[in-house]
Amino acid sequence: MAITAIFLAVVATIVVWWLSHQRLAAKPWLEQGVIGADAPDAGAARTRTAMIGLGVFLTVAGSLFALFASAYTMRMHMGADWRALPVPFLLWPNTAVLVASSVALHRAQLAARGGSMDRARDALLLGGGLALLFLAGQLLVWRQLDAAGYFVAANPANAFFYLLTAVHGLHVLGGLVALARATAKVWGGGEPDRVRLSVELCAVYWHFLLLVWLVLFALLLHH
């Protein structure tokens, strides 16, 4: 339960801090000046809207993972039928790969902000490739466990392991779709502001995926 509480607190703190920097209390209709001269920039407004939307989504997704983590912890202490499966060693290099993927997305974000779209594109491709490698590693973990006789329906611990890793993997797949679209914008020489926004959103989402996985991994180790 402590891990779940910490996770919820971290997610809530990040989201509140993030939203507080999106000028939610701004009143553009009260801004003074020549009409059209000081009007709020459409690109800035679009960025704030997209960031707020992603913040809401991350809050919902974070709450979902927190509920799964709470259920895992509660079920673990409920009965003698809980037989924890051994944590495969491959999860450690998989975690390192996801960390490297998140770092690559951060580098893409910095490159896009600096206007270096070639570097941003290369970093996006690297981050996406590492994410695919992470998913392949997770599938290999499943195959190893299945070959060792740790089937989904064997006991609740097995079911929760497959559930947690599957839900996280689906979120990674969804992120890859967004990442592919951002890469296409960079490759196609799209509008710089839109490209930077797409890369920024992908980077934030990737950091969220890494945070969630680190919490889940710690939970799986604590059995």
Side-chain angles (χ1 to χ4, degrees):
M1 293 299 290
I3 294 177
T4 303
I6 293 173
F7 176 66
L8 280 174
V10 170
V11 171
T13 301
I14 292 174
V15 171
V16 169
W17 174 85
W18 191 11
L19 293 180
S20 69
H21 285 71
Q22 304 305 320
R23 294 185 66 206
L24 294 180
K27 300 179 177 62
W29 58 88
L30 296 180
E31 295 181 5
Q32 299 179 352
V34 179
I35 296 177
D38 295 322
D41 180 63
R46 181 170 61 242
T47 298
R48 287 196 300 272
T49 301
M51 287 296 187
I52 292 170
L54 180 59
V56 172
F57 173 78
L58 296 186
T59 301
V60 174
S63 299
L64 174 65
F65 280 109
L67 288 174
F68 279 136
S70 296
Y72 176 92
T73 304
M74 292 172 60
R75 186 62 183 85
M76 181 172 57
H77 295 95
M78 280 182 59
D81 60 337
W82 183 277
R83 295 185 299 278
L85 52 76
V87 177
F89 174 78
L90 186 56
L91 288 182
W92 289 97
N94 285 354
T95 301
V97 168
L98 190 58
V99 170
S101 181
S102 184
V103 171
L105 264 292
H106 180 66
R107 293 176 65 87
Q109 180 182 11
L110 295 178
R113 286 179 179 176
S116 179
M117 293 306 169
D118 289 339
R119 291 175 57 191
R121 179 198 61 205
D122 293 342
L124 287 173
L125 290 173
L126 176 60
L130 290 171
L132 288 173
L133 182 60
F134 170 79
L135 290 176
Q138 296 294 79
L139 289 176
L140 183 57
V141 167
W142 281 15
R143 292 192 60 182
Q144 289 178 347
L145 291 174
D146 184 75
Y150 295 99
F151 307 116
V152 176
N155 75 81
N158 294 6
F160 265 103
F161 179 89
Y162 287 105
L163 174 65
L164 294 175
T165 53
V167 173
H168 181 264
L170 288 175
H171 280 74
V172 174
L173 280 175
L176 282 171
V177 174
L179 184 59
R181 295 179 61 182
T183 305
K185 290 180 181 179
V186 175
W187 211 300
E191 181 184 338
D193 286 343
R194 290 183 179 273
V195 170
R196 280 192 291 269
L197 176 58
S198 295
V199 175
E200 183 101 11
L201 294 175
C202 287
V204 172
Y205 184 64
W206 235 250
H207 301 332
F208 169 78
L209 290 177
L210 175 60
L211 173 63
V212 168
W213 174 248
L214 291 177
V215 173
L216 293 179
F217 191 27
L219 192 65
L220 294 173
L221 290 173
H222 183 69
H223 57 70

